[in-house]
Amino acid sequence: MAKAMVVEFRVLPPMTCALVKDINPLVSVQLSSAHLPTRIRAVSLNEILPNALRRKHNPHWTGGFSLGVDLGMSRTGLALSKGFSVRPLSVLKLRGQKLELQLLEIAGREEVDEFIIGLPISNDGKETPQSNKVRSVAGRLAARAAERGWRVYLQDEHGTSEEALSFMIDMGHSKSARQNRIDAYAAMMVLERYFSMAGQGTELVLPKQLELQEKLRRGPPKDADFFPEDFDG
């Protein structure tokens, strides 16, 4: 039985290669599109563009909202990007399936089509034990999200908690407010980093099922408010 895969891509020239990581055991192998199975095909930026890259290519592009997620041991911070506005949203005190279902519900309510999940990275640039836990949650969420055509990405979150704390202090937030909302502001910093880098260095979490991969390629149903030209006539 095929194992779940995570496909990492970066903003590269047209000759893009995908780095495929087998989650268990952890094995990395560099593949060109010529060596991937025909039905799966290489996941390229031309097929599944993150919203940050769409915005870079077209400054007037307005479709596609992003939900930033800062996963913690007991608290999960959320932030929302709509257009050029990025703001802290909420802090959830849920775990496991309840958390994943709540993330999907919030995404639907806020018209989100991608999740940007912070990936813990140590000072020396390596992943941590918490990174494995984040990857597990991201993998399960990606399978559920793909049913709706929504994408899940991992973004290096190193230093975002410190950035969030500094920002909140500068904004004059009280100590109690910082304690209650720091996770949401950390998620906001993850989103701001993602957009400032135009999606470069993000990692797409790809479900193993081919039908889910195809739903990702097709994307979510288009909204007539964002794509009126597709509904004319």
Side-chain angles (χ1 to χ4, degrees), residues 20-29:
V20 180
K21 290 185 177 179
D22 189 328
I23 292 178
N24 188 18
L26 290 175
V27 178
S28 297
V29 57

Side-chain angles (χ1 to χ4, degrees), residues 99-226:
L99 172 61
E100 295 157 22
L101 293 177
Q102 184 66 17
L103 289 174
L104 293 170
E105 180 180 334
I106 292 172
R109 185 168 66 243
E110 299 292 347
E111 300 179 313
V112 163
D113 66 0
E114 68 176 13
F115 299 83
I116 309 301
I117 300 179
L119 181 66
I121 300 294
S122 63
N123 290 331
D124 59 3
K126 298 180 180 179
E127 295 191 14
T128 69
Q130 180 65 14
S131 304
N132 293 331
K133 297 178 182 179
V134 169
R135 285 188 177 278
S136 295
V137 174
R140 293 192 300 269
L141 180 63
R144 295 177 184 271
E147 290 283 359
R148 300 160 173 81
W150 300 342
R151 308 171 304 281
V152 174
Y153 296 95
L154 294 172
Q155 169 70 51
D156 175 7
E157 69 169 18
H158 177 67
T160 51
S161 293
E162 291 78 5
E163 292 172 5
L165 178 59
S166 178
F167 178 84
M168 295 183 78
I169 291 174
D170 291 343
M171 293 295 293
H173 290 282
S174 66
K175 183 176 181 180
S176 61
R178 296 198 299 267
Q179 291 174 338
N180 292 330
R181 299 275 290 167
I182 183 67
D183 304 275
Y185 277 86
M188 184 180 76
M189 294 303 168
V190 169
L191 269 186
E192 289 191 345
R193 177 175 298 177
Y194 159 72
F195 280 108
S196 69
M197 298 176 65
Q200 186 172 8
T202 56
E203 184 179 322
L204 173 64
V205 183
L206 189 69
K208 65 180 180 179
Q209 296 93 337
L210 296 183
E211 62 271 19
L212 293 182
Q213 295 179 24
E214 187 58 34
K215 287 183 178 181
L216 283 182
R217 291 189 179 96
R218 291 199 301 266
K222 289 187 176 181
D223 191 320
D225 292 335
F226 290 143

Side-chain angles (χ1 to χ4, degrees), residues 8-81:
E8 178 183 8
F9 64 81
R10 301 179 186 278
V11 181
L12 297 173
M15 296 299 292
T16 302
C17 291
L19 176 62
V20 180
K21 290 185 177 179
D22 189 328
I23 292 178
N24 188 18
L26 290 175
V27 178
S28 297
V29 57
Q30 191 75 22
L31 298 176
S32 69
S33 58
H35 295 109
L36 288 176
T38 303
R39 290 187 61 194
I40 295 180
R41 306 199 313 273
V43 177
S44 72
L45 293 177
N46 293 327
E47 282 188 299
I48 306 177
L49 294 176
N51 290 342
L53 189 59
R54 293 173 188 264
R55 180 184 297 175
K56 179 181 180 181
H57 289 170
N58 180 8
H60 301 293
W61 180 77
T62 56
F65 300 150
S66 309
L67 188 68
V69 183
D70 179 68
L71 287 170
M73 296 297 292
S74 59
R75 294 156 50 100
T76 296
L78 303 180
L80 183 66
S81 170

